[in-house]
């Protein structure tokens, strides 16, 4: 019995199991390597392929992107949009995939870039030390 019951490939390691019992049902536990993603990153675009051995379905895949408004993100598959730092900009996307599936994610850039922010900075002396405070406004 091997952990690759659904694969046509020869396993790298075979474990033989002999059961000297007459039970009608047995439970066998084993581990397989987790799926992983190959990412090709281009100008404003990512092409991601999900890989795993053995073949897997319903994989929750994700990638991090530069902070972008949701409406500036295009994808070849439906996405879930995540704002990890609660600044109203998307910085991670998730989707459901199977082994071997590819997805293209494109960030639409405009001349002024996707986000405009203003920062104010002030430096003041407190005793012998100087302190700088920077405020970032959306």
């Amino acid at each position: 019995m091997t952990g690759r019951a659904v694969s046509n490939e020869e396993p790298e390691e075979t474990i033989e199991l002999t059961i000297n019992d007459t039970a009608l049902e047995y439970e066998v536990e084993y581990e397989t390597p987790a799926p992983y993603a190959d990412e090709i990153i281009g100008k404003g675009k990512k092409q991601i392929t999900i890989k795993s051995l053995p073949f897997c379905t319903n994989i929750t895949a994700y990638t991090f992107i530069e902070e972008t408004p949701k409406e500036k993100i295009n994808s070849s598959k439906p996405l879930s949009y995540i704002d990890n730092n609660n600044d109203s900009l998307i910085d991670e996307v998730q989707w459901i995939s199977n082994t071997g599936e590819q997805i293209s994610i494109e960030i639409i850039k405009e001349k002024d870039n996707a986000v405009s922010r203003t920062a104010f900075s002030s430096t003041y002396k407190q005793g012998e030390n100087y302190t700088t405070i920077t405020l970032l406004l959306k």
Side-chain angles (χ1 to χ4, degrees):
M1 196 179 281
T2 72
R4 295 185 183 216
V6 296
S7 176
N8 291 333
E9 298 178 14
E10 286 296 316
E12 292 178 17
E13 177 184 346
T14 302
I15 299 173
E16 191 172 310
L17 177 64
T18 304
I19 301 173
N20 294 320
D21 195 0
T22 57
L24 298 175
E25 192 174 302
Y26 298 95
E27 183 176 319
V28 178
E29 291 184 27
Y30 59 92
E31 292 182 15
T32 61
Y36 63 95
D38 273 348
E39 293 191 5
I40 299 172
I41 301 170
K43 189 174 182 181
K45 194 173 197 174
K46 281 189 176 189
Q47 185 172 8
I48 303 162
T49 304
I50 303 301
K51 297 185 175 184
S52 71
L53 259 180
F55 181 85
C56 294
T57 59
N58 295 324
I59 300 165
T60 301
Y62 66 93
T63 191
F64 295 99
I65 60 174
E66 69 179 80
E67 293 187 324
T68 305
K70 181 179 174 181
E71 61 274 5
K72 301 288 185 185
I73 303 169
N74 289 332
S75 172
S76 59
K77 290 187 74 133
L79 298 174
S80 296
Y81 302 93
I82 299 166
D83 175 12
N84 287 306
N85 57 2
N86 297 316
D87 66 354
S88 301
L89 299 171
I90 304 304
D91 47 28
E92 179 182 352
V93 292
Q94 292 183 352
W95 66 97
I96 302 298
S97 186
N98 296 325
T99 300
E101 287 186 346
Q102 280 191 347
I103 183 173
S104 289
I105 299 170
E106 183 178 7
I107 308 300
I108 300 169
K109 293 286 188 180
E110 295 180 358
K111 192 167 121 182
D112 64 348
N113 209 342
V115 180
S116 139
R117 296 182 178 190
T118 306
F120 296 95
S121 182
S122 239
T123 302
Y124 63 94
K125 186 174 183 179
Q126 186 176 27
E128 295 297 315
N129 302 317
Y130 288 90
T131 303
T132 300
I133 296 177
T134 302
L135 299 174
L136 181 63
L137 305 175
K138 293 190 227 177

